[in-house]
Amino acid sequence: MENFMQPINFKGLFLFTPLAFVLSGCSETLYSQTTPLVKNSSESNSYTQIDTALGEKLQPNEEAIAHNISQVIEKSIREQYTAGNALRDAHPKAHGCVRAEFHVLKNIPAQFAKGMFIPDQNYQAWIRFSNASNDASSADIDKDARGIAIKILGVSGQKILESEKQATTQDFIMINHPVFFANDAKRYLSFMNDVNSHNMIRKFHIPFALGVKGTVNALGARNSQIANPLYARYWSMVPYQLGLGNDRKAVKYSVRACSMQPNNLPKNPSHDFLREALKNTLQNTDACMEFLIQPRTSSQMVVEDAMTEWDENKAPFYQVATIHIPKQDFDTPEQNNFCENLSFTPWHALPEHKPLGAVNRMRKVIYENISRVRHDMNSATRQEP
């Protein structure tokens, strides 16, 4: 997936090293090399309009910062890859891209029957499982966050993304950790500058700049080892709108296996054992996952705060759909190539499922540019299936 929300790669930086925000006093920032930051908090008409009734609030210079982050990532991709070989900036290593069926429950509660969640509706889908690390050569046994990107097909209705309003897809993007490590746009830009700096000394600022909560969240996301992508649980981390008009609400999403399995790691895992586990499972049997919605139940669950988990005891998840992954042989050159050409963004969405919060607003700018750069470098057509 086009994803700048990557968890931290701690390799080479002792016990710490997550993502990091550069301290504002550090030199070598990229502000002067990219879009200048404006001096007020007003945004252009092209930037995402906020929903103050649901609690959205623009940060100062948010749009300019989003464009700066986008350019930092573009520079990194162009330095890292040659023409024809460009990968995603995060989640470049896929375990597989599988065909699936997304079935909305017949008895879905009325409060969730909005947008594409039509009772008893069936959709075809593609699902991409991945590691979060920007190092596509990393071994699957390495501790890392794991991602799931779901692309639902045949979703009618005009979409939010201006460049693809007539597309018939709806994307959901999640990782196997419920919270993000940052809320602040300026700190995230500083982090991106820090991570992409060639000055190793700057990287030691990361845990200090993140702060206690950010570092704990980053370590929590980074510390994952799973035995099979089909049996991990995934969360959206950030909130989304559900519905339109006066009854719209803020929600989060989650996906989990229909029946959880023990997370028994292999004793002598191969380099790509998660792909092998996915492949072996789907060669022998179908797989089943549940799609869940968590409605916000308190104003203390702030849509601009991606660092705080919504307590499931106070805001329970409800199943709204079942994902059926049939037996299949997905590991073919043609299907792997098809998967690599796909772009995933939460902004492939109906208005009823509009992404909320600063992290999501910045993703709209960043994902679009990352996808364009990657496809241009690979001379590949950018289109929705």
Side-chain angles (χ1 to χ4, degrees):
M1 71 192 81
E2 320 298 348
N3 192 355
F4 81 108
M5 294 174 58
Q6 65 213 55
I8 302 142
N9 186 340
F10 293 69
K11 286 186 177 178
L13 290 180
F14 306 118
L15 179 61
F16 305 103
T17 318
L19 330 175
F21 315 121
V22 138
L23 298 176
S24 59
C26 289
S27 60
E28 201 182 323
T29 64
L30 301 183
Y31 288 1
S32 61
Q33 302 172 25
T34 56
T35 306
L37 292 178
V38 295
K39 298 300 183 183
N40 60 66
S41 60
S42 62
E43 307 294 336
S44 72
N45 292 332
S46 64
Y47 195 62
T48 304
Q49 299 302 301
I50 63 169
D51 189 334
T52 55
L54 288 181
E56 285 195 289
K57 184 178 180 181
L58 278 175
Q59 298 180 17
N61 306 313
E62 186 181 302
E63 180 182 5
I65 292 172
H67 284 286
N68 272 320
I69 294 171
S70 175
Q71 292 174 23
V72 171
I73 297 174
E74 176 176 346
K75 181 174 182 286
S76 173
I77 291 173
R78 293 189 182 281
E79 288 180 348
Q80 185 174 358
Y81 299 109
T82 58
N85 299 297
L87 300 177
R88 292 164 169 80
D89 70 302
H91 295 266
K93 183 178 182 179
H95 309 309
C97 204
V98 302
R99 292 179 292 104
E101 299 162 2
F102 190 99
H103 176 69
V104 182
L105 300 183
K106 185 175 183 179
N107 60 344
I108 180 175
Q111 64 170 319
F112 303 133
K114 314 290 184 183
M116 63 155 284
F117 298 118
I118 302 168
D120 207 25
Q121 180 74 28
N122 279 306
Y123 300 95
Q124 298 300 306
W126 287 100
I127 300 179
R128 182 180 188 267
F129 296 98
S130 62
N131 290 339
S133 171
N134 61 1
D135 180 5
S137 66
S138 61
D140 288 345
I141 196 62
D142 292 346
K143 291 184 177 181
D144 194 5
R146 320 293 167 165
I148 184 174
I150 306 170
K151 186 175 291 292
I152 311 294
L153 309 181
V155 180
S156 60
Q158 196 170 83
K159 305 306 185 295
I160 300 172
L161 205 59
E162 290 83 356
S163 61
E164 295 178 301
K165 280 188 174 293
Q166 303 308 316
T168 57
T169 55
Q170 168 78 43
D171 292 358
F172 297 100
I173 297 174
M174 307 179 205
I175 72 165
N176 65 327
H177 193 66
V179 289
F180 195 40
F181 61 88
N183 293 324
D184 183 86
K186 284 181 65 177
R187 289 167 72 88
Y188 199 90
L189 174 59
S190 295
F191 154 70
M192 291 307 301
N193 284 333
D194 214 13
V195 165
N196 288 285
S197 171
H198 298 297
N199 181 351
M200 287 299 296
I201 295 177
R202 287 188 56 177
K203 299 185 187 299
F204 288 95
H205 289 268
I206 290 175
F208 302 100
L210 278 176
V212 174
K213 189 170 185 177
T215 300
V216 168
N217 286 1
L219 284 167
R222 169 67 179 79
N223 257 347
S224 166
Q225 289 177 304
I226 64 173
N228 190 319
L230 293 167
Y231 303 134
R233 183 172 177 185
Y234 304 90
W235 290 265
S236 65
M237 297 191 292
V238 288
Y240 294 83
Q241 179 176 313
L242 180 65
L244 296 172
N246 293 333
D247 66 343
R248 71 192 185 282
K249 56 175 65 70
V251 302
K252 290 184 179 181
Y253 302 123
S254 182
V255 168
R256 66 186 178 197
C258 293
S259 58
M260 299 303 290
Q261 303 292 321
N263 191 39
N264 296 327
L265 297 171
K267 291 184 178 180
N268 296 298
S270 67
H271 189 271
D272 302 319
F273 82 90
L274 289 176
R275 175 175 284 266
E276 294 169 6
L278 184 62
K279 187 174 180 178
N280 291 338
T281 300
L282 294 179
Q283 281 178 340
N284 295 303
T285 186
D286 295 0
C288 175
M289 305 185 85
E290 298 174 346
F291 190 95
L292 313 171
I293 288 181
Q294 181 187 33
R296 179 172 61 173
T297 57
S298 166
S299 59
Q300 312 229 328
M301 300 172 180
V302 181
V303 298
E304 295 291 347
D305 180 9
M307 297 175 66
T308 302
E309 185 175 4
W310 292 1
D311 187 348
E312 290 192 42
N313 292 322
K314 298 177 180 178
F317 279 91
Y318 298 85
Q319 183 183 357
V320 297
T322 299
I323 301 169
H324 174 242
I325 305 174
K327 289 173 60 175
Q328 59 189 278
D329 179 11
F330 65 84
D331 196 9
T332 66
E334 296 78 16
Q335 192 153 315
N336 290 333
N337 184 63
F338 168 79
C339 182
E340 286 312 299
N341 282 332
L342 290 177
S343 292
F344 293 90
T345 168
W347 292 92
H348 282 149
L350 291 168
E352 290 90 338
H353 309 304
K354 176 188 172 185
L356 297 175
V359 171
N360 268 329
R361 291 191 296 271
M362 292 190 295
R363 284 167 119 185
K364 185 180 180 185
V365 173
I366 295 163
Y367 283 28
E368 270 283 271
N369 190 51
I370 294 170
S371 177
R372 177 191 60 78
V373 169
R374 183 166 61 89
H375 284 80
D376 285 351
M377 289 182 67
N378 293 335
S379 299
T381 302
R382 194 161 71 106
Q383 61 185 25
E384 287 296 278

